[in-house]
Amino acid sequence: MTRAGEAPHYLVERIRDRVAEQAHELGIHVEVCGDVVYLRGGVVSEERRREVEEAARAAAGGCTIRNEVSVIPAAVPDGEERLT
Amino acid sequence: MIRVAAVGDIHLGPDVAGQYRERLTGLADHADVLLVAGDLTRHGTLEEGRIVADELRDAPVPVIAVLGNHDYHSEAENEITEMLGEAGVTVLHSGGTMIDCGGVRLGVAGCKGFGGGFAGSSGDEFGEREMKAFIRHTRELSDGLYESLAALDDQGADLKVALTHYSPVKDTLTGEPLEIYPFLGSYLLAEAIDRAGADLAVHGHAHMGSEKGVTPNGVRVRNVALPVIKQAYAVYGLEKRDSSRPPAEAGRSAR
Ligand SMILES: [Fe+2]
Ligand SMILES: [Fe+2]
């Protein structure tokens, strides 16, 4: 059980739901280890990275959030893949 | 050789307005066409649709897009389609389009696609109404994809690309939790691509997946979701097939 008193199994899903609903990010991986919630994945701006964290925090019942979500630079590519 | 630029899941919104457009400035130096594999918006609102349209308006190369699940969220997909069309983007809900790339005829057939899962463990059109509707949606879109890929041959396509949001294969989902595979794609899409033949299949949707895969009949599949390719777009060079070989032979002979 986490500090929030919920089995990690269900907490993961509650956080994923909240991140989808509030931050509209579906591709975020959520992992709960004891009292710590890890967030992973990629978003396109620093603001969205914060939004994901806020949404997760709102559903995490006091657990510590480790926001490991990265911001994708999305630069112009420097090469191509030739498919022959 | 023609160069196909492709990206999915750009998920634009007011917070990043103008940024993507900047990255398209030199696009014509890298590519002949840009394929956009769905999830152009975050919530599918009219405001976001307008931002996407402005971002892609009068791009340096022809832009062909399908919508993704996020673009349906506010039930404004028709209005978004219209706005994109008005900005010069070809949006495929089914059907195909042909572009001339310096004398090479590139055919693109596209649809959103849908889930259901993969051969050996796919959902079936059986049981509750909701379950049947789920799989039927995938089947109808896959049938449409087959029809439009096949039609591209009759229209004299030199090269054919299948463009979807959902994935036709499992390979490009590597990195996603196994439990959600049925929500990420369907083998029915791969079957349509293999039966009709194609030179490349491009999809998005699986943000945690991986870039490269192949259909059972050997059509190259690329997951171009922005978080996967981690660049503004990926570029794939396609060589025109030997003209003595029928366009869809690879797919059809191995059926
Ligand atoms: Fe997406
Ligand atoms: Fe998606």
Side-chain angles (χ1 to χ4, degrees), chain A residues 26, chain B residues 9 11 38-39 68-70 165-166 204-207:
Chain A
L26 267 66
Chain B
D9 303 82
H11 289 287
D39 277 2
N69 53 321
H70 283 245
H165 180 59
Y166 287 77
H205 190 50
H207 291 206

Side-chain angles (χ1 to χ4, degrees), chain A:
Chain A
M1 302 282 270
T2 62
R3 194 194 305 161
E6 189 166 24
H9 194 74
Y10 299 118
L11 185 59
V12 164
E13 230 16 72
R14 275 209 306 147
I15 294 171
R16 288 189 67 243
D17 274 356
R18 189 63 174 253
V19 169
E21 253 165 57
Q22 190 178 318
H24 294 270
E25 293 290 345
L26 267 66
I28 302 297
H29 181 72
V30 179
E31 194 175 315
V32 176
C33 291
D35 280 352
V36 183
V37 175
Y38 295 88
L39 307 172
R40 293 180 192 127
V43 295
V44 297
S45 72
E46 188 56 47
E47 188 182 334
R48 290 187 190 180
R49 193 178 168 276
R50 263 197 311 275
E51 281 175 29
V52 166
E53 184 175 329
E54 274 165 31
R57 181 163 290 117
C63 287
T64 305
I65 308 285
R66 297 253 188 275
N67 189 353
E68 297 179 355
V69 173
S70 41
V71 177
I72 305 153
V76 173
D78 53 9
E80 67 193 25
E81 182 194 359
R82 285 181 182 223
L83 300 174
T84 49

Side-chain angles (χ1 to χ4, degrees), chain B residues 22 47 62 86 101 110 135 147 162-163 174 190 197 203:
Chain B
E22 251 168 55
E47 188 201 9
E86 177 263 321
C101 304
I135 302 300
E147 296 293 334
L163 173 64
T174 307
H203 74 89

